Amino acid sequence: MEMEMEMVVAVPSPEVPAEEERALIRDITVAAEAHAKEGDTFFLITHRWWQSWIDYVIQDLANSTNNGSHHHEHGSNVLRRPGAIDNTDLIDDTASEVSNMEIELHDTLVEGRDYILLPQQVWEKLHGWYGGGPTLPRKAINTGLSQTDLAIEVYPLRLQLLLAPKGEQAVIRISKKDTVGELHKKACEVFDLIPDEVCIWDYYGRTRHSLMDNLEKTLDDANIQMDQDILVEVTTDANGSLDGGCIGSIQENEYLERESTSLIADASKSGLSNENFASNNYTSRSYSSSLTQSQYLRSSNGDLDNMHGTSSMITRGSPLGLTGLLNLGNTCFMNSAIQCLVHTPEFARYFREDYHREINWQNPLGMVGELALAFGELLRKLWAPGRTPVSPRPFKTKLSRFAPQFSGYNQHDSQELLAFLLDGLHEDLNRVKHRPYIKSKDADGRSDDEVADEYWANHIARNNSIIVDVCQGQYKSTLVCPACGKVSVTFDPFMYLSLPLQFTSTRSMTVMVFTFDGSTPPTPYTVNVPKQGRCRDLIQAISNACSLRNGERLVIAEIRNHRIHRLLDDPVVQLSTINDDDHLAVYRLPKMEKKPNYIQFVHRRDDCFTTYRDNGNNISVTAWKPYGVPLLAQVSRNETVTGMHIHEMVRKMLAPMQKNQESQHSVQSSVSTRTQTYHTDSTKFQLQLIDDSNTTIEQSNDTIRVPQSSLAAVIFVNWSKADLKKLNTHHLENLPEVFKYAPPAKRTRGEPLSLYSCLDAFLREEPLVPEDMWYCPRCKEQRQASKKLDLWRLPEVLVIHLKRFSFSRSTKQKLETFVNFPIHDFDLTNYIANKKSSERQIYELYAVSNHYGSMASGHYTAYIKLLDEERWYNFDDSHVSAINEEDGINCDTITMSERRLASGTWSQMRNELDIVNNGTNCCSIGHFTDGNSHKENASGHPSFAPYD
C-alpha cells in the first residue's frame, strides 16, 4: 500500500468567494466523513496554512457579530486570501534520502498541532483553488473488528532490510496492512533478487524470531513493528543449489530456555546495543528477595546509560523512587501512567523481588513474558538510588511491539495505556497455566452471596495474578426486560471504574425559533435534553423555553445551504442523529387538524450582474444567490391560496426584523409574558416572490398553486441590496450550530462536582442504548433492557477514570468540569451492595495522572504520594519536585497550573485532570484503609483521565 507523493506544484484556479469556499468545504467534509471507509485516501495539510484559510473564510462571520456601524471602518484589517499551499514544514529532507518514499515526514508531527487530515474531495478542492504542495496522501486502514474502526496511517511502517549473507541494507516504507507476500516482493525488488530463492525473517532486535512464510498474513498480524529489522536471506549457495538455510535457521534460532536466558534476551533488545551485548559476557541472574535495593542497583544489570555518574550523588537516608522519566516525544501520557503504577506499593515490592518464576511463558493471550520483564526492569531503575532521569525507550519499544496503537510519537490517553498495561501484565503473570472451561450457572433462586462467590471462584480459577490480587473488584449487574420483566443477574470482574461526569447524561442544544405571526423576532434558545433522548424531548424543552401557547406547535428543521434539508417531525427520532455542528431552525406554527402543506421561503440576494450579448446588444442579468435562513409557512391541503395571501404571510414573518419599525406593547396583568404587535409599512421594502418555475407571484387575488412536495414547496424571496439594508438580518445570517464548543467560563470554588455524584451517576439505573440491545431469553428477542450496576467486591487498589472527552462528527472536545474528590477517607461503605461484611471501605489517595491544558497541546504529569514519607511529589517527565500538602491546601494554589486545593481535607482539581482513556480525564489511585484505626492496610488509588 505504498503511497506515491508528488512534488508537483499545481497552478491555482480562478478565485472563489470566501463564503462559497467555506460552504463547499463544510458540505464536502460532512459527506466524506459520513461515508469514510477502509482504503479511502486522506491528505495531510500543514496546520499553519489551514488556520490561515479558516481565518480567511470566517472573517465575514466574525465581522457580522460586531456592530454594523463598525463593519466598514476596518477595511485595512481584512484578511487576504492565503497563498499557495506549502507543506514543506512537514517534510524531513534528510530522512527522505534513506527510504523508498520520495517524501519523508518529520517523526514527531502531531495531528491538530502540526497538520490536519483532509478527505480526498476536500484536498482536491483546496488544491484546485490554491495550488501548491507537495501532495501528501495517506490511506485509511481498519484498526479493529468493526468496519467502522478506521484510522489514517500517517506513518507507514519503516523497516530496515538486511540482506544475508552480503550485508547490504535498505530502508523501506510499507503499510502495516500490507501482507507478508507484499513485503517479500518489495525486498526482492530492492535487492534485485529472484523471489523463489529468498526467505524473510522477523529480525526484531537483531534476533531471528520467526520465518515469515505465511504470505497472506498482514504485517500487523505478524506483529511487525516500526523501525525494526527484517532479515532477507538468499537460500542458494554459490553453485545455485538450495542450502536449507531457512529451515536450518528455524531449528538453530529457537527461543532459549526461558528460565535461564530471558533476561539476556531482554537486555539485547531493550537496553544495550547489539554490539555491546555481544562483547560482554552477561549471564542470567535471579533476584532474591534477600537482596537489598542498593545491592541490586549497584549490580551490573542496570542501564549503563542511565546509571553513569549517580553513585557519587547518593547520600545516606535519601528517599528512593524520586526518579523521573525522559520524554521521548509526546510520551508524557506514558510517563504519567508508569509513575502511578511503579509507586503502587504492592507492585513496587513485587517487581523488586523474584517475580520471574510467576511469568507465564505459554499464555497465548500474553506477551510471552516480555511486557512483564520490560516493566519490571524499568521499575527497578526508577527505584534505584539517585535522581538521574531514566529513558523509557526500551519499554516503549516493547510496548509498541505488542500494542501498535502506541507506536510512533502521537499523544494518547493515559487511561487507555493504563488499561492495556494492567491487562497485559496480568496475562504475562497469570499463575494459571491451563485455563479450565467453566460454564456459568443460573442463580435458580440462590442468594446473591452464593452466586457472587461462585462467579468470583470461577474467575480466579482462570485468572490469578498479582494484578488480580491488587486491582480487580466485582460488579453486580442487573438487567430487566421491559416487555416480560425477566431479570438477569451476573457478577462480573472489573479493573477500574470509568465514571461519567454528572452533566454528561444531558446534552446542550441551541436552536433559532421563528414565529409565523411575527409576534417576536427570531430568537436563539439553548436547552438541555437527555443525551439518549428523542425529538419529543427537544420539542418539549423548546416549548417550555419559548412559552409555547395553546393552539401552537413546533416544527424543527435542519438547514443546509440556506434551505430546509429535512424536517424532524417524527417525535421518536433519536437526538443522536443530530450532530453538534448541524444547524436547526424551529418554527412556531398554528395547530391544524390535518397534516398541512409546507411552504419554505428561501431568501436570495443579488450577488452580481452577468453581462452577455444578444443580437449585438449588451444584456445584464442579476445572478441570485441563496442567503440566510428560510422562513416556513403552512396551508391546508384543500385551502385556496392567493398571491395576496402569500405576500401577507411573508410580510408578517418579516415584520419583527424590520429596522426602525415601531412596536406596540401590551402587558397582561395575570402573567409576566410580554406580547408585541409589530406594524409594518408596505412601502418600506418591495417583495419579489418567485415560484419554482421562475414565475413572479404578484400581490393579487389570483389563485396560486402550491406544488405538492415531500418536504416543503419552495418560493424564492429575491432581495435587492437596498431593500435588504432595511431589515435587521443578523439572525437570518447567523444560524447557530447545535453546540458550539468554547472554553468554559472560569468556575468558582463552590461549583465543582463531587466524586460521589459521579459515582452515583455511574451506578444509576438506565436503559441500554439502542446499539447495545440485550437478548431476552424469555422473549427470544433483542430488548432495550434497563441496566443497574452495583459494587459488590472492592479491590485493594481502586483506579477511577473520569470521562472527560466528548466527540462530534468533526471535533473532539475536553469537558472542563471541576471534580471535587477527597485526598483522605474516600468512603465507599454505603455503595457496597454486599452487606455481609461490616468492614468500612475507605481509601486514601496516593496517585493522580493529571492532564492539563487543551487536547491539542495539553500535557500529562503525575502527582504521587510516597507512603513511607507521607509527602506528595509532582512527576513531570524528567523533573520531580516536592509538593507540601498542608501548604498547598492553605495557600490556595499549587505551582502546577490548573491544579487547585480547597480547604480542609478535600482536593479540588480542575477538569484538566486527566489520566487516560478515549474520552476521559483523570485518574486517581486510592489506598485502602481500616475505617476504625485509619491504619493503611493496602493501597488503593483513584485515577482520573480525559481521546482520544
Side-chain angles (χ1 to χ4, degrees):
M1 196 187 292
E2 181 180 336
M3 297 292 300
E4 296 287 337
M5 272 163 278
E6 306 171 2
M7 290 297 291
V8 177
V9 177
V11 178
S13 62
E15 293 187 10
V16 176
E19 184 183 30
E20 185 176 338
E21 286 189 14
R22 181 180 70 244
L24 279 171
I25 293 302
R26 178 190 179 279
D27 292 343
I28 295 172
T29 300
V30 169
E33 292 184 350
H35 300 93
K37 62 184 183 302
E38 185 177 6
D40 285 355
T41 302
F42 287 73
F43 290 79
L44 279 79
I45 190 168
T46 176
H47 183 272
R48 174 181 48 78
W49 189 92
W50 174 258
Q51 189 59 54
S52 68
W53 180 81
I54 290 291
D55 294 339
Y56 164 67
V57 297
I58 68 171
Q59 61 181 321
D60 60 329
L61 295 179
N63 290 336
S64 68
T65 63
N66 298 325
N67 189 308
S69 63
H70 297 285
H71 182 71
H72 298 290
E73 296 178 6
H74 299 87
S76 59
N77 294 333
V78 174
L79 296 176
R80 299 181 60 183
R81 192 171 189 264
I85 298 170
D86 182 7
N87 281 335
T88 54
D89 56 346
L90 304 179
I91 297 170
D92 186 350
D93 294 328
T94 58
S96 301
E97 302 172 1
V98 297
S99 79
N100 66 321
M101 298 190 78
E102 294 181 12
I103 301 176
E104 277 283 348
L105 304 178
H106 287 290
D107 275 343
T108 56
L109 299 179
V110 177
E111 183 180 2
R113 185 193 71 187
D114 302 308
Y115 66 87
I116 300 294
L117 286 167
L118 303 179
Q120 181 170 352
Q121 302 92 319
V122 174
W123 166 259
E124 289 173 349
K125 275 291 183 187
L126 291 174
H127 197 234
W129 290 334
Y130 292 91
T135 301
L136 305 173
R138 291 295 188 268
K139 290 290 187 182
I141 61 175
N142 186 276
T143 58
L145 298 177
S146 168
Q147 293 298 315
T148 61
D149 293 337
L150 299 179
I152 314 304
E153 193 175 29
V154 175
Y155 291 98
L157 289 175
R158 180 172 51 205
L159 304 176
Q160 178 165 267
L161 306 181
L162 305 177
L163 179 61
K166 293 184 178 180
E168 298 177 17
Q169 300 183 7
V171 177
I172 65 167
R173 286 277 192 182
I174 187 170
S175 171
K176 64 181 181 180
K177 291 300 180 181
D178 280 341
T179 64
V180 171
E182 288 165 312
L183 174 60
H184 184 275
K185 178 181 177 182
K186 190 178 293 289
C188 293
E189 291 173 351
V190 168
F191 294 121
D192 193 20
L193 302 173
I194 300 173
D196 291 342
E197 299 177 356
V198 173
C199 63
I200 56 177
W201 293 84
D202 178 353
Y203 202 47
Y204 176 80
R206 298 292 175 99
T207 299
R208 297 193 199 209
H209 287 273
S210 61
L211 177 65
M212 301 175 67
D213 55 355
N214 185 346
L215 301 184
E216 300 301 318
K217 180 182 288 189
T218 67
L219 300 182
D220 193 18
D221 292 337
N223 210 10
I224 301 303
Q225 298 301 308
M226 178 72 74
D227 290 325
Q228 79 158 72
D229 296 325
I230 297 293
L231 182 64
V232 181
E233 190 171 32
V234 179
T235 59
T236 57
D237 57 20
N239 298 321
S241 59
L242 291 174
D243 66 358
C246 291
I247 297 177
S249 297
I250 295 176
Q251 299 171 346
E252 175 184 341
N253 289 279
E254 286 291 334
Y255 260 103
L256 301 177
E257 287 298 315
R258 300 287 187 180
E259 290 74 16
S260 61
T261 59
S262 59
L263 292 180
I264 300 177
D266 189 64
S268 69
K269 286 179 286 182
S270 64
L272 307 170
S273 66
N274 296 294
E275 293 78 12
N276 289 339
F277 181 74
S279 61
N280 289 278
N281 294 322
Y282 285 91
T283 58
S284 173
R285 174 171 58 257
S286 63
Y287 295 97
S288 169
S289 58
S290 62
L291 285 173
T292 65
Q293 290 178 350
S294 60
Q295 286 175 319
Y296 160 66
L297 292 165
R298 292 188 177 92
S299 68
S300 60
N301 196 52
D303 187 329
L304 301 182
D305 291 336
N306 291 314
M307 291 301 293
H308 66 83
T310 62
S311 58
S312 61
M313 298 170 58
I314 300 173
T315 58
R316 180 183 300 274
S318 61
L320 301 178
L322 297 179
T323 302
L325 287 163
L326 297 177
N327 192 318
L328 307 178
N330 283 323
T331 56
C332 57
F333 76 96
M334 180 182 75
N335 293 348
S336 176
I338 288 173
Q339 293 288 10
C340 288
L341 285 181
V342 301
H343 287 91
T344 299
E346 288 77 8
F347 295 154
R349 181 166 54 251
Y350 178 85
F351 283 99
R352 285 150 73 188
E353 296 178 352
D354 186 11
Y355 64 93
H356 303 87
R357 59 190 174 189
E358 290 201 336
I359 291 179
N360 191 330
W361 306 105
Q362 288 80 37
N363 186 356
L365 300 179
M367 292 91 182
V368 292
E370 292 193 37
L371 184 66
L373 287 168
F375 179 79
E377 293 303 299
L378 181 58
L379 181 146
R380 292 177 181 230
K381 294 171 187 176
L382 292 174
W383 279 97
R387 302 285 290 272
T388 302
V390 171
S391 170
R393 189 176 300 279
F395 175 81
K396 186 180 186 300
T397 300
K398 289 287 176 62
L399 176 68
S400 300
R401 178 170 177 80
F402 295 109
Q405 65 268 32
F406 298 117
S407 61
Y409 298 95
N410 286 335
Q411 181 69 278
H412 292 276
D413 198 346
S414 70
Q415 174 61 25
E416 185 181 2
L417 173 67
L418 186 63
F420 171 81
L421 286 180
L422 289 173
D423 186 64
L425 290 173
H426 159 66
E427 297 295 353
D428 266 4
L429 299 168
N430 195 349
R431 303 173 185 116
V432 180
K433 300 303 188 280
H434 302 286
R435 291 181 170 176
Y437 172 75
I438 302 174
K439 186 176 181 179
S440 299
K441 300 177 183 177
D442 292 333
D444 291 332
R446 293 179 293 163
S447 67
D448 282 350
D449 290 344
E450 181 182 350
V451 177
D453 288 345
E454 181 181 277
Y455 268 85
W456 188 253
N458 292 345
H459 176 65
I460 295 299
R462 295 171 52 84
N463 301 275
N464 187 359
S465 69
I466 181 65
I467 305 299
V468 175
D469 296 344
V470 175
C471 291
Q472 285 200 351
Q474 190 179 30
Y475 290 132
K476 176 186 177 183
S477 177
T478 305
L479 293 173
V480 179
C481 177
C484 70
K486 166 69 175 175
V487 178
S488 173
V489 177
T490 58
F491 293 85
D492 305 311
F494 68 86
M495 194 85 77
Y496 54 85
L497 301 181
S498 188
L499 305 185
L501 297 185
Q502 187 178 11
F503 298 139
T504 58
S505 60
T506 62
R507 177 184 181 189
S508 176
M509 303 183 75
T510 299
V511 301
M512 185 75 73
V513 177
F514 295 82
T515 57
F516 173 78
D517 59 4
S519 58
T520 57
T523 307
Y525 290 94
T526 299
V527 296
N528 287 323
V529 293
K531 215 168 192 180
Q532 302 299 328
R534 301 178 185 273
C535 273
R536 59 180 174 233
D537 300 308
L538 178 59
I539 291 173
Q540 184 61 52
I542 300 171
S543 300
N544 295 337
C546 71
S547 301
L548 193 71
R549 296 188 291 264
N550 291 332
E552 288 184 329
R553 67 191 183 97
L554 298 179
V555 174
I556 304 175
E558 180 185 346
I559 308 300
R560 291 191 188 178
N561 297 324
H562 312 289
R563 291 196 184 202
I564 293 177
H565 175 68
R566 61 168 173 159
L567 292 175
L568 298 166
D569 51 1
D570 185 348
V572 298
V573 168
Q574 298 237 342
L575 293 180
S576 58
T577 64
I578 303 174
N579 297 293
D580 284 348
D581 49 2
D582 286 340
H583 299 264
L584 297 184
V586 178
Y587 302 95
R588 294 178 66 160
L589 301 173
K591 289 182 179 178
M592 288 189 171
E593 293 182 0
K594 297 181 179 180
K595 186 174 182 180
N597 287 335
Y598 292 111
I599 305 173
Q600 59 170 316
F601 296 94
V602 178
H603 304 281
R604 298 193 301 190
R605 60 185 178 186
D606 54 342
D607 189 52
C608 60
F609 285 97
T610 301
T611 303
Y612 65 95
R613 295 183 66 80
D614 183 18
N615 297 327
N617 298 318
N618 289 332
I619 307 296
S620 296
V621 179
T622 301
W624 296 101
K625 181 178 180 181
Y627 159 80
V629 183
L631 303 176
L632 186 71
Q634 63 182 5
V635 294
S636 299
R637 289 181 179 259
N638 56 359
E639 181 180 356
T640 300
V641 182
T642 66
M644 183 72 72
H645 188 192
I646 296 291
H647 276 258
E648 284 303 314
M649 283 194 295
V650 178
R651 287 188 180 278
K652 186 181 292 186
M653 288 186 284
L654 290 174
M657 299 178 232
Q658 186 175 325
K659 289 182 179 178
N660 302 322
Q661 49 79 49
E662 296 180 354
S663 65
Q664 177 182 357
H665 306 297
S666 63
V667 180
Q668 302 174 354
S669 59
S670 60
V671 292
S672 60
T673 304
R674 169 173 290 183
T675 62
Q676 298 177 341
T677 303
Y678 291 92
H679 299 279
T680 64
D681 184 348
S682 60
T683 64
K684 287 290 185 180
F685 54 81
Q686 297 296 320
L687 274 182
Q688 183 181 3
L689 305 183
I690 310 294
D691 65 16
D692 57 352
S693 62
N694 207 30
T695 301
T696 300
I697 299 176
E698 301 292 345
Q699 191 170 352
S700 68
N701 290 322
D702 294 340
T703 300
I704 301 298
R705 181 186 63 86
V706 178
Q708 298 292 325
S709 172
S710 59
L711 189 62
V714 175
I715 293 179
F716 296 106
V717 184
N718 288 352
W719 291 99
S720 67
K721 292 181 179 178
D723 281 338
L724 202 55
K725 290 181 180 178
K726 298 176 182 178
L727 295 181
N728 184 350
T729 59
H730 174 74
H731 291 309
L732 281 181
E733 296 175 336
N734 298 282
L735 186 61
E737 293 183 355
V738 168
F739 179 78
K740 181 68 173 178
Y741 175 75
K746 186 175 182 180
R747 290 177 177 267
T748 63
R749 282 189 170 186
E751 294 183 85
L753 290 178
S754 163
L755 186 58
Y756 290 108
S757 66
C758 296
L759 185 58
D760 289 334
F762 174 70
L763 298 176
R764 187 178 301 131
E765 182 177 356
E766 58 184 13
L768 296 174
V769 296
E771 296 79 14
D772 192 21
M773 304 279 271
W774 173 61
Y775 181 79
C776 175
R778 182 181 294 170
C779 297
K780 309 296 184 184
E781 291 185 27
Q782 298 288 335
R783 297 294 191 190
Q784 191 175 4
S786 63
K787 182 176 183 179
K788 175 72 170 72
L789 286 178
D790 291 291
L791 300 179
W792 188 265
R793 187 189 310 265
L794 288 177
E796 292 183 356
V797 170
L798 179 63
V799 179
I800 298 177
H801 156 233
L802 298 183
K803 298 179 179 178
R804 285 200 176 270
F805 291 155
S806 65
F807 302 88
S808 68
R809 176 166 54 202
S810 57
T811 60
K812 180 171 66 173
Q813 294 144 9
K814 176 179 170 182
L815 303 178
E816 301 292 342
T817 307
F818 287 77
V819 176
N820 197 352
F821 62 91
I823 295 179
H824 308 287
D825 300 343
F826 182 42
D827 193 347
L828 296 181
T829 304
N830 294 331
Y831 287 90
I832 302 299
N834 179 10
K835 302 303 182 182
K836 183 173 62 174
S837 173
S838 60
E839 184 182 22
R840 293 180 64 190
Q841 306 288 323
I842 297 178
Y843 288 85
E844 289 287 305
L845 180 70
Y846 73 87
V848 174
S849 177
N850 172 39
H851 179 272
Y852 61 89
S854 68
M855 291 177 56
S857 58
H859 182 69
Y860 281 96
T861 63
Y863 299 109
I864 307 292
K865 182 179 183 180
L866 294 191
L867 297 178
D868 55 346
E869 286 189 67
E870 291 296 315
R871 186 169 187 182
W872 285 87
Y873 290 87
N874 174 26
F875 288 75
D876 186 357
D877 288 331
S878 58
H879 181 70
V880 180
S881 57
I883 299 172
N884 190 309
E885 180 180 320
E886 291 183 359
D887 290 345
I889 289 174
N890 293 330
C891 74
D892 190 75
T893 62
I894 293 184
T895 52
M896 289 305 299
S897 61
E898 307 301 340
R899 181 174 191 261
R900 294 178 176 270
L901 295 182
S903 61
T905 59
W906 296 79
S907 99
Q908 174 179 333
M909 296 200 175
R910 305 209 35 187
N911 313 351
E912 280 69 25
L913 287 181
D914 309 5
I915 162 176
V916 294
N917 197 308
N918 288 339
T920 47
N921 186 344
C922 159
C923 263
S924 63
I925 303 177
H927 212 270
F928 181 65
T929 64
D930 184 321
N932 298 316
S933 65
H934 293 277
K935 178 181 179 181
E936 294 170 351
N937 297 331
S939 34
H941 43 235
S943 305
F944 308 74
Y947 192 231
D948 339 341

